[in-house]
């Protein structure tokens, strides 16, 4: 402090005000306001996110729960020997010759009998008028039962047959009376009759296990469509993905992270693995088409091929997450193991890998969940648009027979014209989401359990 | 059983255990160790002192080839343990590290039980023929590391749950469990409080009965307390090497004198 500076600031000690701690000054208030504002932005952002999530989930549940219920008609059908076994010798070969066309009139007659015996008032006076109420797949359902037990012919048997999708829609409020005017499949009179049949218990809406276990059906009979076979397709694909991508991905990561020399080549590989994770999945689809189907001549639409394609797609995810969790293991652990004379491989497998396991498992499950929901690559290898009609029997058929996958099935339903399929698409999404949430929960539980050990 | 083996060893106290001649270490382009010659005696505590970055830890890591794990590190020169060149192509670093144990700066027990920490080395080297054998080795190692009484009732508890000083003694137990002949210690007390340091130092003095101990330290008092011979490193050079008493009381080199009196470092 020189003398010259003194007059320049003579009142310096006086201008310094004593600040009260109870009454914050303007600057502090401004800072506090900024902090409060920032907190508000955060809360607003999260609230928006939660709002959309709630809307999404409630829409899915509202639109999709219908798929888990289905309308059935309980009816006693007289299996007329004159129609089903004209020769009368109960020869299975002869019975097989009668197509579903032979069974349709029997069902219609049975339902018509119900209407007549209950004296229901309806302008529908012909047997054939019942057609609109009954699913087109009901006859096949009957025929299958008869072929299995030819002895039933000549008897009256109680059946629970599928109602047509319009009837089903009417009971689920999907088909409205005002829409029926323009509908050539069903008339208002039919709906009146349904209103009379429901109290009798002839027509009833129950839980639809066939949706969860059954196969897809043709475009004209949404009431018979199920996601079960596509689920099996997804299951076999995930099996292939898990069996291939986990060992390959983990082995590749261990090599790259622990053993490979750090040079330009490994840098290049590292960058390209990161790039592969960002490649659009449809590119993997076309790669699979070129390599697995056109070059290696593996069967089209097979879950094996789908699994191979999804393996390619999942590998980068698994490698990146595995390398990250290997990197997260402190180097002192490696030093400790090497210091007591463990080989590099022993250090990695005895100490580093167990510590990285929760991260590896989490990455793998997240990768699998991603693969489970993938549709685009399946387009190119023929797993979309295919009507999977038969459930696979055994592992070989599950891997090699043409099949679809859950997301592909949902996509297929969503693009069909009949709104009844729309409901099933939402139902399929519910099932898919249940799977994904289950897998993610398992990932979280595994991580918690393994990390809690020490 | 272990005592028997020690009795069988007919090593003269003054016999030279490690001979290093013309050792050069490069980290990429960085010349970290310049032409170092050191003879390390058996059953002696040898201290490496010097300012940070002078190369003492690097040189220590040459003695059990831990520098092999660093890609850019390159070691030249001749290091012999009991007359055998450890950088010979036929030498397996894994076997070398079983013979030359190491304790690190930061206590780094495995996230396993105390028992498994100590038993790991004997297990991978096949030193135990039975479970009882292994139990004996573990107990003996923990006793030698002066931690047995503190942990004998909780051998199955995680090693990471011990205090810092206990963890470091556990690491020493882990290192001695493999029956090494040389024990390298890289600033073993830098993460410990004075009480734990005193315990570890006492332990080092006991270990001298059986091993050749090489210790890197930042604390000159520690070097003076525990070592019989001291090497002073500066900027990658070995400046002076001799009896600890001589280095601390009558240093020959002015740099050593400056460091010891606190003028550089």
């Amino acid at each position: 402090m020189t003398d010259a500076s003194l007059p320049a600031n003579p009142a310096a000690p006086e201008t310094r005000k004593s600040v009260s701690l109870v009454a914050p000054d303007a600057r502090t208030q401004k800072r506090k306001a900024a902090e409060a504002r920032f907190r508000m932005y955060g809360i607003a952002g999260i609230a928006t996110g939660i709002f959309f999530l709630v809307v999404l989930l409630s829409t899915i549940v509202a639109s999709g729960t219908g798929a888990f219920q289905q309308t059935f008609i309980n009816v006693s059908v007289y299996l007329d020997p004159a129609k089903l076994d004209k020769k009368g010798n109960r020869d299975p070969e002869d019975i097989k010759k009668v197509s579903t066309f032979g069974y349709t009139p029997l069902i219609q007659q049975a339902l018509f009998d119900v209407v007549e015996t209950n004296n229901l008032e309806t302008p529908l006076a012909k047997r054939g008028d019942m057609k609109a109420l009954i699913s087109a797949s009901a006859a096949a359902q009957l025929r299958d039962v008869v072929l299995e037990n030819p002895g039933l012919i000549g008897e009256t048997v109680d059946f629970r047959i599928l109602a047509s999708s319009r009837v089903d829609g009417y009971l689920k409020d999907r088909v409205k009376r005002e829409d029926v005017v323009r509908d050539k499949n069903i008339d208002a009179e039919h709906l009146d009759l349904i209103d009379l049949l429901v109290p009798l218990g002839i027509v009833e809406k129950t839980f639809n296990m066939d949706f969860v276990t059954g196969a897809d059906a043709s475009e004209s009979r949404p009431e018979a469509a199920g996601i079960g076979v596509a689920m099996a397709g997804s299951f076999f694909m995930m099996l292939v993905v898990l069996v291939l991508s986990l060992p390959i991905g983990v082995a590749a990561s261990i090599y790259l992270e622990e053993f490979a020399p750090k040079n330009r080549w490994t840098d290049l590989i590292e960058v390209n693995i990161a790039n592969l994770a960002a490649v659009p999945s449809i590119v993997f689809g076309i790669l699979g088409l070129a390599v697995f189907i056109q070059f290696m001549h593996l069967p089209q639409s097979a879950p094996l091929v789908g699994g191979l394609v999804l393996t390619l797609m999942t590998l980068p995810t698994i490698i990146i997450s595995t390398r990250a969790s290997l990197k997260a293991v402190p180097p002192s652990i490696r030093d400790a193991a090497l210091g007591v004379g463990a080989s590099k491989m022993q250090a990695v497998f005895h100490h580093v890998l167990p510590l990285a396991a929760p991260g590896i498992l989490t990455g793998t499950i997240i990768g699998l969940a991603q693969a489970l929901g993938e549709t685009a690559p399946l387009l190119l290898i023929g797993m979309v648009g295919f009507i999977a009609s038969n459930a696979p029997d055994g592992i070989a058929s599950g891997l090699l027979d043409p099949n679809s996958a859950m997301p592909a099935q949902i996509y297929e339903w969503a693009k069909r014209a009949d709104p009844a399929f729309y409901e099933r698409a939402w139902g399929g999404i519910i099932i898919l989401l249940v799977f994904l949430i289950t897998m993610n929960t398992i990932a979280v539980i595994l991580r918690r359990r393994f990390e809690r050990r020490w | 059983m272990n005592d028997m083996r020690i009795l069988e060893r007919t090593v003269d106290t003054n016999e030279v255990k490690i001979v290093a001649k013309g050792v050069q270490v490069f980290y990429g382009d960085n010349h970290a160790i310049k032409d170092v010659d050191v003879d390390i005696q058996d059953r002696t505590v040898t201290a490496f002192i010097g300012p940070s970055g002078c190369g003492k830890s690097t040189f220590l890591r040459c003695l059990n080839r831990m520098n092999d794990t660093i890609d850019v590190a390159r070691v030249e020169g001749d290091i012999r343990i009991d007359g055998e060149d450890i950088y010979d192509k036929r030498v397996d670093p894994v076997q070398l590290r079983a013979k030359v144990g190491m304790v690190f700066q930061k206590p780094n027990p495995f996230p396993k039980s105390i028992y498994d920490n100590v038993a790991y080395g004997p297990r991978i080297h096949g030193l135990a023929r039975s479970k009882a054998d292994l139990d004996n080795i573990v107990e003996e190692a923990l006793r030698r590391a002066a931690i047995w009484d503190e942990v004998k009732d909780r051998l199955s508890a995680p090693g990471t749950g011990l205090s810092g000083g206990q963890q470091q003694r556990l690491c020493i137990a882990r290192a001695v469990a493999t029956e090494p002949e040389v024990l390298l210690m890289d600033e073993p007390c830098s993460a410990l409080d004075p009480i734990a340091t005193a315990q570890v130092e006492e332990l080092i003095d006991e270990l001298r009965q059986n091993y050749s101990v090489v210790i890197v330290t930042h604390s000159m008092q520690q070097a003076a307390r525990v070592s019989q011979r001291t090497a002073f490193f500066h900027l990658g050079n070995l400046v002076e090497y001799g009896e600890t008493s001589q280095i601390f009381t009558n240093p020959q080199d002015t740099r050593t004198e400056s460091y010891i009196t606190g003028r550089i470092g």
Side-chain angles (χ1 to χ4, degrees):
Chain A
M1 192 89 16
T2 58
D3 288 347
S5 71
L6 273 177
N9 200 1
E14 281 88 274
T15 49
R16 183 172 167 183
K17 278 181 293 182
S18 163
V19 180
S20 161
L21 288 175
V22 184
D25 63 4
R27 205 178 154 73
T28 313
Q29 270 170 345
K30 219 169 154 184
R31 276 198 304 210
K32 251 171 101 178
E35 203 175 303
R37 245 188 346 263
F38 183 76
R39 202 172 296 172
M40 279 287 297
Y41 296 148
I43 291 171
I46 290 171
T48 318
I50 290 176
F51 170 72
F52 281 111
L53 184 68
V54 167
V55 169
L56 173 75
L57 286 181
S58 54
T59 313
I60 290 175
V61 170
S63 317
T65 40
F68 293 92
Q69 292 204 311
Q70 194 64 44
T71 308
F72 292 92
I73 301 174
N74 296 313
V75 75
S76 304
V77 181
Y78 173 56
L79 299 170
D80 191 353
K83 295 264 173 56
L84 303 181
D85 188 21
K86 284 170 186 152
K87 289 181 186 161
N89 53 13
R90 301 290 187 268
D91 180 3
E93 290 306 312
D94 284 337
I95 298 171
K96 263 186 198 162
K97 279 181 189 150
V98 181
S99 72
T100 51
F101 286 115
Y103 291 84
T104 311
L106 299 181
I107 303 170
Q108 291 172 1
Q109 183 64 49
L111 192 54
F112 191 60
D113 290 346
V114 171
V115 173
E116 288 201 317
T117 50
N118 287 300
N119 285 323
L120 301 176
E121 272 186 48
T122 171
L124 304 169
K126 297 200 303 291
R127 184 186 74 192
D129 289 332
M130 300 294 126
K131 184 176 178 239
L133 303 182
I134 300 161
S135 161
S137 50
Q141 184 191 342
L142 228 64
R143 184 169 176 266
D144 288 344
V145 172
V146 171
L147 287 183
E148 246 174 62
N149 309 294
L152 291 176
I153 291 176
E155 290 179 35
T156 304
V157 184
D158 288 338
F159 280 102
R160 192 159 157 273
I161 57 170
L162 276 168
S164 71
S165 89
R166 292 297 193 281
V167 172
D168 183 49
Y170 177 62
L171 291 187
K172 288 176 186 166
D173 276 342
R174 188 178 65 234
V175 175
K176 304 263 172 19
R177 277 177 180 275
E178 52 269 31
D179 305 333
V180 168
V181 185
R182 282 170 282 131
D183 197 330
K184 64 180 168 54
N185 288 317
I186 201 161
D187 297 320
E189 290 80 23
H190 292 112
L191 301 185
D192 294 335
L193 180 58
I194 293 296
D195 286 339
L196 295 173
L197 286 170
V198 171
L200 293 175
I202 308 290
V203 173
E204 60 171 353
K205 200 170 70 171
T206 58
F207 181 72
N208 182 18
M209 200 58 200
D210 291 340
F211 175 69
V212 184
T213 59
D216 191 15
S218 77
E219 220 153 313
S220 60
R221 43 183 96 158
E223 67 276 7
I227 202 168
V229 175
M231 221 190 276
S234 278
F235 169 77
F236 283 106
M237 288 203 312
M238 288 307 109
L239 207 64
V240 174
V241 174
L242 183 67
V243 164
L244 290 179
S245 65
L246 182 62
I248 296 176
V250 172
S253 326
I254 291 176
Y255 176 73
L256 284 173
E257 196 58 44
E258 304 284 339
F259 294 95
K262 302 273 173 286
N263 57 28
R264 215 177 311 153
W265 289 108
T266 44
D267 280 352
L268 195 71
I269 290 171
E270 198 175 333
V271 168
N272 280 301
I273 288 173
N275 285 341
L276 275 181
V279 165
S281 56
I282 199 152
V283 176
F284 285 104
I286 210 158
L287 175 74
L289 173 67
V291 174
F292 299 125
I293 295 179
Q294 290 173 350
F295 176 70
M296 291 166 70
H297 295 292
L298 290 173
Q300 253 184 43
S301 311
L304 174 67
V305 180
L308 290 171
V309 171
L310 293 179
T311 301
L312 295 181
M313 210 199 73
T314 315
L315 267 177
T317 314
I318 292 186
I319 292 177
I320 288 170
S321 65
T322 304
R323 291 190 67 177
S325 40
L326 288 174
K327 245 185 217 135
V329 175
S332 66
I333 294 292
R334 294 181 184 82
D335 280 349
L338 296 177
V340 294
S343 68
K344 193 141 191 187
M345 183 127 165
Q346 284 172 324
V348 169
F349 282 89
H350 294 167
H351 300 290
V352 179
L353 208 53
L355 288 176
I360 295 172
L361 283 176
T362 310
T364 306
I365 293 173
I366 301 291
L368 278 185
Q370 200 186 344
L372 182 66
E374 198 57 67
T375 326
L378 306 181
L379 273 168
L380 288 158
I381 55 164
M383 292 184 81
V384 180
F386 177 83
I387 297 179
S389 50
N390 294 313
D393 51 346
I395 291 174
S397 110
L399 288 174
L400 295 171
D401 286 355
N403 206 333
S404 190
M406 276 197 279
Q409 186 69 72
I410 292 164
Y411 168 71
E412 182 61 29
W413 283 338
K415 71 178 189 183
R416 286 184 189 169
D418 194 324
F421 278 116
Y422 185 71
E423 171 191 280
R424 288 187 134 62
W426 286 102
I429 285 171
I430 291 181
I431 293 187
L432 188 60
L433 281 181
V434 166
F435 272 92
L436 295 180
I437 291 171
T438 311
M439 288 169 83
N440 285 331
T441 312
I442 291 172
V444 171
I445 291 172
L446 282 177
R447 193 167 43 193
R448 287 270 168 82
R449 166 140 327 156
F450 278 97
E451 278 184 349
R452 215 188 286 154
R453 277 173 73 188
W454 305 118
Chain B
M1 187 204 80
N2 287 307
D3 295 328
M4 293 282 290
R5 263 188 232 168
I6 290 157
L7 289 175
E8 278 163 21
R9 270 197 229 142
T10 52
V11 191
D12 181 12
T13 322
N14 296 319
E15 193 185 309
V16 174
K17 186 76 181 168
I18 304 175
V19 180
K21 277 207 171 62
V23 176
Q24 319 254 7
V25 180
F26 302 86
Y27 286 124
D29 295 333
N30 179 19
H31 198 172
I33 298 277
K34 295 161 193 160
D35 205 18
V36 168
D37 296 345
V38 169
D39 291 350
I40 290 166
Q41 294 182 348
D42 201 9
R43 305 195 187 193
T44 306
V45 178
T46 307
F48 291 174
I49 60 168
S52 290
C54 68
K56 54 196 188 302
S57 285
T58 301
F59 183 73
L60 189 78
R61 290 167 69 92
C62 289
L63 299 180
N64 68 344
R65 290 183 61 175
M66 282 297 277
N67 284 329
D68 289 13
T69 61
I70 301 164
D71 284 330
V72 293
R74 188 158 51 84
V75 179
E76 285 173 9
D78 189 51
I79 301 175
R80 288 176 185 275
I81 294 182
D82 292 336
E84 289 177 327
D85 180 7
I86 63 168
Y87 280 89
D88 190 294
K89 281 202 165 39
R90 289 167 296 177
V91 170
D92 184 356
V94 168
Q95 233 175 333
L96 170 70
R97 288 178 201 139
K99 196 169 169 171
V100 184
M102 186 154 188
V103 176
F104 297 85
Q105 182 173 0
K106 222 181 97 207
N108 55 355
F110 299 128
K112 296 176 187 285
S113 70
I114 293 171
Y115 183 92
D116 286 336
N117 260 286
V118 183
Y120 182 68
R123 269 192 192 129
I124 58 171
H125 296 297
L127 297 182
R129 258 163 271 114
S130 64
K131 175 83 178 70
D133 218 5
L134 190 63
D135 288 349
N136 283 336
I137 292 175
V138 170
E139 183 180 338
E140 182 61 32
L142 287 169
R143 275 190 197 285
R144 264 196 260 172
I147 193 180
W148 171 252
D149 289 333
E150 288 159 70
V151 300
K152 65 181 177 211
D153 298 325
R154 46 175 177 148
L155 288 176
S156 57
T160 41
L162 298 171
S163 73
Q166 288 174 325
Q167 285 190 18
Q168 193 61 297
R169 277 180 287 152
L170 176 63
C171 292
I172 293 171
R174 184 177 64 192
V176 300
T178 55
E179 295 286 324
E181 292 167 26
V182 179
L183 200 55
L184 307 179
M185 297 181 142
D186 191 354
E187 297 178 40
C189 299
S190 66
L192 305 184
D193 67 15
I195 295 169
T197 302
Q199 285 168 331
V200 171
E201 281 177 9
E202 203 174 315
L203 176 59
I204 291 169
D205 199 51
E206 279 167 32
L207 292 173
R208 182 164 66 93
Q209 311 299 319
N210 303 318
Y211 310 100
S212 166
V213 180
V214 185
I215 177 170
V216 164
T217 178
H218 266 298
S219 153
M220 282 172 285
Q221 289 85 346
Q222 185 173 52
R225 281 194 300 264
V226 299
S227 71
Q228 285 78 52
R229 295 180 71 82
T230 298
F232 172 61
F233 285 79
H234 189 239
L235 301 174
N237 295 302
L238 177 64
V239 175
E240 195 168 349
Y241 179 46
E243 296 286 328
T244 300
S245 52
Q246 175 253 312
I247 294 275
F248 279 93
T249 55
N250 186 22
Q252 304 297 308
D253 195 288
T254 51
R255 285 173 292 179
T256 315
E257 193 188 353
S258 309
Y259 182 70
I260 285 163
T261 53
R263 266 179 281 144
I264 60 166

